[in-house]
Amino acid sequence: MAPTETPSASQLETFPNPRPEREFTVEIVCPEFTSVCPKTGQPDFGTITYTYTPAGSCVELKSLKLYLQQYRTQGIFYEQVTNRLLDDFVAACHPVRCKVVSVWTPRGGISTTVTCEYAAATG
């Protein structure tokens, strides 16, 4: 993966769920997420937490790490990046449910947390 490549769901690799008969939760914490503020051009630092219940597949962690690193040069607002992280994860893994929470380092005395959730349609 080239360091200037635009992040996309296709960069996320998966592997078969080892226990598809059991519902379980996976939590992945990524404490070194970086993107760029599109307004100021300054770096934004945050912690991204994925909490998901796998269906047929699980995300492969190295591919997730490399995917997240692609945002280091992306000018994107907190709200947009958090929604995009969720959308790409769901497109790659097709989980039963998934929540992505981004907690951003305070800037100018203001801290921000963005939470996005997905639940597969039932029936």
Side-chain angles (χ1 to χ4, degrees):
M1 192 176 321
T4 57
E5 194 172 336
T6 301
S8 73
S10 65
Q11 296 163 343
L12 295 171
E13 298 176 19
T14 62
F15 60 91
N17 179 348
R19 296 298 296 267
E21 73 284 358
R22 174 181 293 153
E23 207 172 88
F24 61 95
T25 301
V26 179
E27 182 176 87
I28 304 166
V29 180
C30 312
E32 299 176 346
F33 184 83
T34 306
S35 59
V36 176
C37 174
K39 189 102 172 148
T40 66
Q42 296 296 309
D44 286 324
F45 303 98
T47 297
I48 307 297
T49 302
Y50 290 89
T51 305
Y52 77 104
T53 300
S57 61
C58 299
V59 71
E60 191 279 320
L61 295 179
K62 182 178 178 185
S63 72
L64 178 62
K65 177 186 80 166
L66 295 174
Y67 162 81
L68 292 173
Q69 288 175 351
Q70 299 305 308
Y71 283 94
R72 288 182 176 169
T73 59
Q74 300 293 310
I76 190 166
F77 289 108
Y78 300 156
E79 298 81 0
Q80 177 62 22
V81 73
T82 308
N83 276 280
R84 186 165 167 194
L85 293 172
L86 177 63
D87 291 345
D88 285 353
F89 193 92
V90 168
C93 295
H94 310 287
V96 174
R97 68 188 67 82
C98 183
K99 178 168 70 170
V100 176
V101 178
S102 61
V103 179
W104 300 91
T105 301
R107 184 181 290 251
I110 298 174
S111 61
T112 303
T113 299
V114 180
T115 302
C116 300
E117 296 185 61
Y118 163 84
T122 58

